[in-house]
């Protein structure tokens, strides 16, 4: 077995845009290297094998330059055929290792070389000196300001005895970690070989596991439409683990958009551990959620966990590493408090030692947040990406790769800093002037091309530099926080401006209340997402609602030759009554008190046929309110029916309380009492839930489609026996939806489908998926919109929806009653 330590070459710690800094850093490297003479050997690859009894550690890197100059009485060095020094000339040359760092810092403030940079150069010096049997090696640290191209040098000279002692000391320290990793990986691989699937295979599940395994083997992407009940979490994790055991996959990243699905993944791994698997996993938790302090301020003067963090973190990591395999939030917090270190940074550090990382999409895809410790630009590692609820990634991708700046924000910051920095004020005025020119050319909305926006971008680049300097020099400024927040905003804008291509639309808009903004809108995120997925060997994207699958393949970065599969549902379709109304709609042109009344009548007739829990999903809060008022006035019978409403703004506790009312049926019946988390038990008391009384009532949850209760919640057994879905889920008409429509029309696609119909239908499918969650479940799904009976919608129905009943208001009560009579 071999461990590999690789060095980095970019100092972008203070860069406004990290990706741009990578490019600019490369530029200054090449500029300096071209200026050097024949004695300068650029980009020299260096490797060293450190042997131990059981494994080897390969240390490798690329020295920016090695300078070989004559010394003493020798006037010149003969031309060398490679980068080594012949034995006969070792006493007549001076060798200097040149390490170049591009930086945005002002060089006159740089008093010494950064220790980590110098350590990198000393590694190169040791490797080169040892391999060429030199007695002495010099090191030159070259810092170049990326903006001004000013250069500053720091020089060092070492004898080989000194370098050898230093390097061997570094490797001895590393051996502690490498020894553990070697023993752990050996145990992990052995455990995987003895692992079997933790359940009896359901129908079609073994085939799904095989598809995932083969995709990883062939280094492709797989798009899976996996209906509820297939067991997509274990069906993707198990073959990924098996692939890892065969040397195909160094680390698994399980990426998702929601906390609940992270928990499901964690549970699946724990289940395999119970079957004998040895695998370390970590759940990455957002900084603002895991921080121990009231304010998330990473300042040693404010936070006792930040003060001295680096003095204690290694002991904390090793302690946790040797005592637990599951680095979840609770475990991280326990060890972080015990060792008094930052829990967020410890969480990130534990990912280095985890075999599986469970995290949000951001950690792979977000251009700012992605894990740079794993994902180097242009480098493809042996990682396996499992992307859950992949339908969410289209809008999340657009959001992450778009950027907006408001004219008013420039003026607000100018007002705040006018007494503190005249240069910043001047540049803020310059940016505002450029925006004013764009505003004058904009009536309500205006498309722009890159040339039209370039003067503004140049002004923002200069503002970024000024703000950066101010932040470096004024750590105690009363306006520092405000400047820093806006600095992050313009940094994101500049980063996205570097990505502008045919997948983007640039536009400005005047808001009704007078605001003005410029936006770089990523209409097609496929290229950016594809580039991120190229950081690993294989990606598995799965969802219960990945339809139409060709739409998602196109927008989620599929390449030619990537695979797709429609997993077979394991549920008996007869247990789901699917009814489609042919006499109501949510069309804007039909909205009236009579239409709201008819929809309320449908709800009444459906829920009157069987007591139980129902959710009714509406296209908007306003539509919900109109129907709810009519339902309460004309149909509600408080002695038999209770209603809950999803408020427009609900905190986490309110959401949990809402859901716990539905889980109450499980608790009362004993079918799933263990599903209620201990911390939620108090909520049952808070909402005064009398289980014996509630059993005699139906519970109706009035919710918004696409909202917090239409996706990612798991209401099994009698927790939910019906869903009434009002409308086709079409997003509201707005500027960006119209931009999407026009863009995809111009591409030769059906723009209305891409901008409205497909996203809307996804919300419908997600809402309907709340009803049947287990093979024992029986329930009804009522689609209240005549448009579902038209061909464009029927074509999008999943296979499980092949059988449905067309109904009218007059028929619905009898049809639903007949369905329940068959199962009760």
């Amino acid at each position: 077995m071999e461990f590999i330590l690789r060095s980095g070459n970019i100092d972008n710690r203070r860069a406004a845009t990290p990706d741009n800094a990578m490019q600019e850093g490369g530029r200054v490297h090449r500029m300096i290297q071209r200026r050097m003479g024949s004695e300068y050997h650029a980009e020299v690859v260096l490797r060293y094998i450190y042997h131990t009894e059981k494994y080897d550690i390969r240390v490798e890197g690329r020295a920016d330059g090695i300078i070989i100059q004559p010394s003493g009485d020798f006037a010149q060095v003969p031309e060398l055929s490679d980068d080594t020094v012949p034995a006969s000339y070792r006493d007549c040359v001076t060798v200097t290792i040149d390490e170049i760092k591009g930086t945005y810092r002002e060089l006159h403030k740089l008093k010494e070389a950064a220790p980590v940079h110098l350590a990198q150069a000393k590694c190169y010096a040791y490797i080169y000196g040892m391999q060429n049997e030199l007695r002495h090696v010099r090191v030159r640290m070259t810092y170049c300001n990326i903006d001004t191209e000013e250069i500053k040098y720091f020089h060092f000279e070492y004898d080989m005895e000194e370098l050898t002692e230093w390097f061997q000391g570094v490797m001895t320290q590393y051996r502690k970690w490498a020894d553990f990793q070697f023993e752990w990986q050996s145990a992990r691989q052995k455990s995987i070989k003895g692992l079997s699937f933790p359940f009896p295979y359901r129908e079609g599940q073994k085939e799904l596991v095989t598809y995932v395994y083969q995709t990883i083997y062939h280094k492709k992407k797989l798009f899976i439409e996996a209906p509820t009940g297939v067991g997509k979490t274990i069906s993707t994790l198990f073959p990924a683990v098996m692939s890892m055991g065969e040397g195909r996959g160094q680390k698994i990243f399980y990426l998702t958009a929601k906390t609940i699905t992270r928990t499901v993944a964690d549970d699946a791994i724990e289940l395999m551990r119970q079957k004998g698997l040895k695998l370390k996993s970590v759940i990455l938790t957002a900084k603002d959620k895991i921080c121990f302090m009231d304010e998330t301020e990473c300042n040693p003067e404010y936070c006792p966990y930040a003060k001295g963090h680096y003095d204690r973190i290694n002991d904390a990591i090793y302690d946790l590493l040797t005592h637990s395999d599951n680095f979840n939030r609770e475990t991280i917090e326990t060890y972080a408090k015990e060792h008094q270190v930052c829990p967020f940074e410890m969480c990130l550090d534990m990912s280095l030692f985890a075999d599986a990382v469970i995290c949000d999409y951001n950690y792979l895809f977000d251009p700012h947040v992605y894990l740079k410790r794993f994902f180097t630009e242009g480098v493809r590692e042996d990682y396996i990406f499992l992307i859950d609820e992949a339908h969410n990634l289209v809008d999340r991708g657009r959001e992450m790769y778009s950027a907006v700046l408001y004219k008013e924000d420039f003026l607000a910051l100018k007002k705040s800093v006018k007494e503190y920095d005249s240069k910043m004020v001047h540049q803020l005025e310059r940016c505002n002037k450029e925006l004013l020119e764009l505003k004058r050319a904009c009536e309500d909305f205006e498309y722009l091309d890159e040339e039209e926006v370039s003067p503004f971008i140049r002004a923002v680049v200069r503002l970024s530099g000024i703000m950066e300097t101010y932040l470096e020099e004024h750590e105690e400024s009363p306006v520092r926080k405000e400047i820093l927040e806006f600095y992050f905003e313009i940094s994101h804008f500049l980063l996205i401006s570097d990505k502008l291509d045919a997948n983007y639309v640039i536009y400005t808009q005047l808001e009704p209340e007078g605001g003005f903004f410029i936006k770089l809108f990523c209409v097609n995120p496929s290229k950016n997402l594809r580039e991120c997925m190229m950081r690993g060997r294989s990606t598995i994207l799965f969802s219960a609602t990945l339809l139409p699958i060709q739409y998602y393949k196109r927008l989620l970065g599929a390449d030619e030759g990537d695979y797709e599969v429609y997993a077979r549902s394991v549920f008996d379709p007869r247990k789901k009554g699917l009814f489609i109304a042919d006499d109501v709609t949510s069309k804007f042109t039909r909205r009236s008190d009579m239409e709201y009344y008819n929809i309320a009548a449908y709800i009444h007739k459906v829920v009157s046929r069987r007591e139980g829990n129902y959710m009714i999903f509406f296209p908007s809060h306003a539509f919900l309110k109109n129907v709810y008022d009519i339902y309460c006035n004309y149909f509600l019978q408080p002695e038999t029916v209770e209603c809950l409403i999803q408020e427009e703004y609900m905190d986490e506790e309110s959401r949990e309380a809402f859901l716990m009312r539905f889980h109450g049926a499980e608790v009362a019946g004993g079918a799933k009492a263990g599903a209620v988390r201990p911390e939620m038990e108090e909520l049952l008391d808070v909402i005064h839930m009398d289980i014996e009384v509630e059993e005699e009532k139906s519970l109706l949850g009035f919710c918004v489609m696409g909202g917090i209760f239409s996706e990612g919640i798991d209401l099994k057994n009698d927790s939910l026996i019906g869903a009434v879905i009002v409308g086709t889920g079409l997003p509201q008409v707005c500027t960006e939806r119209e931009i999407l429509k026009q863009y995809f029309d111009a591409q030769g696609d059906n723009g209305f489908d891409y901008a409205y119909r497909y996203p809307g239908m996804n919300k419908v499918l997600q809402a309907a998926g709340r009803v049947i969650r287990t093979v024992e479940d029986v329930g009804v799904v009522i689609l209240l919109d005549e448009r579902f009976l038209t061909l464009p919608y029927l074509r999008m129905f999943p296979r499980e929806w092949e059988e449905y009943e067309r109904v009218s208001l007059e028929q619905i009560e009898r049809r639903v009653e007949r369905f329940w009579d068959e199962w009760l």
Side-chain angles (χ1 to χ4, degrees):
M1 185 178 292
E2 181 179 73
F3 292 94
I4 302 173
L5 301 179
R6 293 193 180 98
S7 66
N9 242 0
I10 305 299
D11 175 24
N12 62 3
R13 294 171 300 158
R14 298 182 180 270
T17 60
D19 286 354
N20 186 54
M22 296 286 286
Q23 298 169 5
E24 288 296 295
R27 179 185 65 80
V28 299
H29 275 66
R30 293 187 293 273
M31 175 194 74
I32 293 171
Q33 289 163 344
R34 283 196 300 268
R35 292 177 181 175
M36 300 295 126
S38 59
E39 300 166 341
Y40 195 95
H41 301 264
E43 301 299 326
V44 179
V45 176
L46 296 170
R47 293 187 181 89
Y48 172 77
I49 305 297
Y50 181 91
H51 300 286
T52 74
E53 300 82 2
K54 297 180 179 180
Y55 59 87
D56 292 336
I57 301 174
R58 175 154 52 103
V59 185
E60 66 177 29
R62 188 187 298 268
D64 295 324
I66 296 181
I67 308 167
I68 305 175
Q69 298 171 304
S71 62
D73 297 329
F74 295 89
Q76 63 180 12
V77 176
E79 187 172 340
L80 305 177
S81 58
D82 55 24
D83 303 308
T84 62
V85 179
S88 57
Y89 291 97
R90 285 169 189 156
D91 293 329
C92 64
V93 297
T94 299
V95 174
T96 302
I97 305 297
D98 188 29
E99 182 60 29
I100 303 170
K101 296 296 179 185
T103 182
Y104 287 91
R105 302 174 67 184
E106 293 185 28
L107 295 187
H108 71 271
K109 298 176 183 176
L110 200 61
K111 305 302 181 185
E112 59 183 12
V116 66
H117 298 160
L118 182 58
Q120 179 184 345
K122 287 171 72 174
C123 286
Y124 295 152
Y126 170 77
I127 295 171
Y128 189 85
M130 183 270 302
Q131 290 175 346
N132 289 275
E133 299 180 6
L134 301 179
R135 293 188 178 89
H136 306 275
V137 184
R138 292 179 178 177
V139 168
R140 183 176 79 181
M141 294 301 307
T142 302
Y143 287 91
C144 178
N145 183 284
I146 291 174
D147 291 327
T148 65
E149 298 184 0
E150 177 190 359
I151 293 175
K152 186 170 186 175
Y153 298 109
F154 295 96
H155 296 275
F156 306 88
E157 184 168 353
Y158 304 98
D159 61 50
M160 281 306 299
E161 288 184 6
E162 180 183 2
L163 281 175
T164 300
E165 183 180 355
W166 174 84
F167 185 82
Q168 294 300 323
V170 170
M171 296 307 296
T172 299
Q173 292 181 52
Y174 182 73
R175 275 287 302 273
K176 168 184 171 181
W177 304 92
D179 286 347
F180 179 86
Q181 286 290 80
F182 174 80
E183 297 296 338
W184 172 256
Q185 289 184 20
S186 298
R188 183 195 70 190
Q189 298 302 84
K190 183 179 179 180
S191 75
I192 293 174
K193 293 186 185 303
L195 187 66
S196 58
F197 197 72
F199 303 107
Y201 280 112
R202 299 173 183 172
E203 184 181 1
Q205 196 171 37
K206 190 171 185 178
E207 289 80 359
L208 179 57
V209 168
T210 302
Y211 291 140
V212 173
Y213 178 86
Q214 291 176 342
T215 301
I216 296 170
Y217 181 89
H218 291 292
K219 300 183 179 182
K220 297 285 188 179
K221 290 191 281 292
L222 173 63
F223 294 79
I224 305 174
E225 160 67 20
T228 301
V230 169
K232 58 184 184 297
T233 304
I234 193 66
S235 298
T236 52
L237 272 168
F238 176 76
V241 169
M242 297 305 292
S243 298
M244 178 185 287
E246 296 175 0
R248 288 184 287 273
Q250 175 188 348
K251 195 181 291 281
I252 298 168
F253 289 86
Y254 192 101
L255 301 121
T256 180
K258 298 184 182 296
T259 302
I260 183 64
T261 41
R262 276 167 242 165
T263 304
V264 172
D266 188 44
D267 291 343
I269 292 173
E270 189 61 40
L271 180 65
M272 288 189 281
R273 287 195 189 104
Q274 293 170 11
K275 299 292 182 179
L277 175 65
K278 291 185 178 296
L279 186 130
K280 292 187 180 293
S281 63
V282 63
I283 299 178
L284 300 186
T285 306
K287 181 187 290 187
D288 59 343
K289 290 185 177 180
I290 201 171
C291 180
F292 294 144
M293 307 300 289
D294 294 333
E295 295 287 333
T296 307
E297 184 179 339
C298 300
N299 184 338
E301 300 301 317
Y302 168 76
C303 176
Y305 300 95
K307 189 173 184 179
H309 167 88
Y310 293 105
D311 298 329
R312 299 183 293 271
I313 187 59
N314 283 352
D315 289 339
I317 292 171
Y318 197 77
D319 189 9
L320 175 52
L321 194 60
T322 53
H323 287 91
S324 177
D325 295 343
N326 188 348
F327 315 143
N328 58 26
R329 176 176 174 176
E330 293 75 17
T331 307
I332 294 284
E333 288 178 339
T334 298
Y335 279 79
K337 284 182 178 177
E338 181 180 339
H339 291 272
Q340 200 170 355
V341 295
C342 170
F344 178 70
E345 289 298 328
M346 184 177 181
C347 199
L348 293 178
D349 286 337
M350 295 311 300
S351 69
L352 293 167
F353 300 94
D355 306 301
V357 180
I358 304 170
C359 58
D360 187 85
Y361 295 156
N362 288 346
Y363 292 100
L364 173 60
F365 295 107
D366 190 286
H368 295 286
V369 179
Y370 77 92
L371 296 168
K372 298 174 182 64
R373 62 188 68 201
F374 297 115
F375 309 132
T376 305
E377 291 299 317
V379 177
R380 189 171 191 175
E381 298 285 0
D382 199 28
Y383 300 141
I384 299 170
F385 300 136
L386 306 179
I387 302 179
D388 198 357
E389 303 293 349
H391 63 276
N392 287 307
L393 190 54
V394 175
D395 284 339
R396 282 286 297 275
R398 285 190 178 124
E399 178 186 340
M400 287 186 284
Y401 287 97
S402 297
V404 62
L405 288 176
Y406 285 82
K407 181 177 181 297
E408 292 70 31
D409 290 344
F410 288 88
L411 294 175
L413 186 62
K414 174 189 166 185
K415 183 178 179 181
S416 298
V417 304
K418 64 181 180 181
E419 297 180 4
Y420 297 95
D421 193 289
S422 59
K423 286 176 65 176
M424 194 184 305
V425 168
H426 173 76
Q427 198 57 36
L428 285 164
E429 288 176 345
R430 182 66 190 173
C431 292
N432 182 63
K433 182 180 178 182
E434 295 294 345
L435 284 173
L436 188 58
E437 291 295 320
L438 296 173
K439 183 177 180 179
R440 287 170 179 159
C442 175
E443 295 183 5
D444 291 313
F445 167 89
E446 191 73 28
Y447 283 114
L448 300 175
D449 57 35
E450 289 188 52
E451 186 176 343
E452 290 172 308
V453 77
S454 59
F456 172 67
I457 291 177
R458 287 195 295 270
V460 174
V461 169
R462 288 191 288 272
L463 174 62
S464 173
I466 292 170
M467 295 176 80
E468 189 175 293
T469 299
Y470 184 89
L471 290 169
E472 285 183 10
E473 296 178 350
H474 301 83
E475 293 189 1
E476 303 299 327
S477 170
V479 293
R480 178 182 172 80
K481 184 176 180 181
E482 191 174 348
I483 293 171
L484 185 63
E485 288 175 356
F486 193 59
Y487 173 75
F488 289 147
E489 287 187 38
I490 66 173
S491 296
H492 178 66
F493 190 89
L494 293 174
L495 185 151
I496 298 303
S497 71
D498 287 337
K499 297 180 178 293
L500 292 175
D501 58 15
N503 296 300
Y504 278 83
V505 166
I506 309 170
Y507 73 93
T508 55
Q509 186 171 357
L510 273 168
E511 296 181 309
E513 62 273 16
F516 178 75
F517 65 84
I518 179 170
K519 183 160 187 176
L520 314 178
F521 183 31
C522 180
V523 290
N524 183 355
S526 60
K527 178 184 175 185
N528 291 323
L529 298 177
R530 184 186 301 113
E531 288 175 352
C532 293
M533 288 184 279
M534 285 298 292
R535 295 166 178 164
R537 72 172 285 136
S538 182
T539 303
I540 314 298
L541 303 99
F542 49 98
S543 169
T545 58
L546 211 60
L547 292 174
I549 204 160
Q550 297 306 322
Y551 160 78
Y552 284 104
K553 286 184 72 174
R554 177 172 177 188
L555 294 186
L556 293 178
D559 290 302
E560 187 176 351
D562 285 337
Y563 310 136
E564 63 190 71
V565 63
Y566 196 122
R568 188 182 309 170
S569 174
V570 299
F571 296 155
D572 183 347
R574 296 173 301 166
K575 290 187 175 182
K576 178 175 76 261
L578 179 60
F579 303 92
I580 307 178
D582 63 6
D583 52 358
V584 290
T585 182
S586 66
K587 280 183 181 177
F588 189 79
T589 54
R590 288 261 298 274
R591 294 185 184 184
S592 64
D593 287 343
M594 179 55 67
E595 201 72 17
Y596 299 142
Y597 179 90
N598 289 338
I599 291 170
Y602 261 105
I603 295 169
H604 171 68
K605 291 187 175 186
V606 169
V607 303
S608 65
R609 291 305 85 204
R610 188 195 167 193
E611 289 178 357
N613 294 346
Y614 298 82
M615 281 189 171
I616 301 98
F617 295 97
F618 295 88
S620 67
H621 284 279
F623 202 112
L624 181 157
K625 183 71 164 55
N626 288 327
V627 175
Y628 175 77
D629 288 344
I630 289 176
Y631 178 81
C632 291
N633 289 334
Y634 292 94
F635 301 105
L636 178 62
Q637 298 171 344
E639 64 276 8
T640 60
V641 176
E642 181 183 359
C643 296
L644 300 177
I645 293 182
Q646 175 187 336
E647 301 295 341
E648 205 155 347
Y649 303 102
M650 298 178 75
D651 59 27
E652 189 170 350
E653 185 173 328
S654 299
R655 282 179 275 174
E656 291 281 6
F658 187 101
L659 284 177
M660 288 309 303
R661 296 302 306 275
F662 288 86
H663 279 299
E666 298 173 13
V667 180
K672 195 174 167 240
V676 181
R677 300 198 307 274
E679 62 268 27
M680 287 296 103
E681 291 177 355
E682 292 183 7
L683 276 173
L684 297 177
D685 298 329
V686 172
I687 59 181
H688 307 295
M689 182 174 132
D690 185 339
I691 289 175
E692 291 183 4
V693 174
E694 297 303 334
E695 275 191 296
E696 300 173 1
K697 280 189 176 185
S698 288
L699 182 64
L700 275 59
F702 284 71
C703 307
V704 175
M705 217 183 313
I708 53 179
F709 300 123
S710 66
E711 182 176 343
I713 60 172
D714 199 20
L715 298 173
K716 299 176 182 177
N717 307 117
D718 288 334
S719 292
L720 192 71
I721 65 168
V724 179
I725 299 169
V726 181
T728 57
L730 296 180
Q732 291 187 342
V733 175
C734 63
T735 299
E736 292 197 347
R737 286 290 152 186
E738 287 301 294
I739 290 174
L740 292 172
K741 180 178 180 299
Q742 293 169 19
Y743 174 85
F744 287 107
D745 276 338
Q747 299 288 313
D749 299 299
N750 186 320
F752 181 81
D753 285 350
Y754 273 64
Y756 294 99
R757 201 189 317 271
Y758 294 159
M761 191 61 187
N762 189 278
K763 290 190 285 186
V764 171
L765 294 171
Q766 282 291 331
R770 298 314 96 207
V771 180
I772 305 296
R773 308 298 296 177
T774 73
V775 291
E776 293 84 18
D777 287 359
V778 180
V780 295
V781 174
I782 319 295
L783 304 181
L784 298 185
D785 200 301
E786 61 196 29
R787 285 174 288 180
F788 285 117
L789 295 166
T790 63
L791 193 57
Y793 282 95
L794 291 173
R795 283 175 174 167
M796 290 188 290
F797 277 19
R799 293 174 186 174
E800 310 83 69
W801 285 18
E802 288 178 355
E803 295 184 15
Y804 63 87
E805 291 190 50
R806 177 173 181 160
V807 297
S808 64
L809 183 56
E810 183 182 346
Q811 300 168 327
I812 185 65
E813 196 167 12
R814 293 192 305 273
R815 298 287 185 86
V816 171
E817 185 173 30
R818 185 174 64 189
F819 170 82
W820 286 120
D821 285 345
E822 292 181 13
W823 294 102
L824 296 180

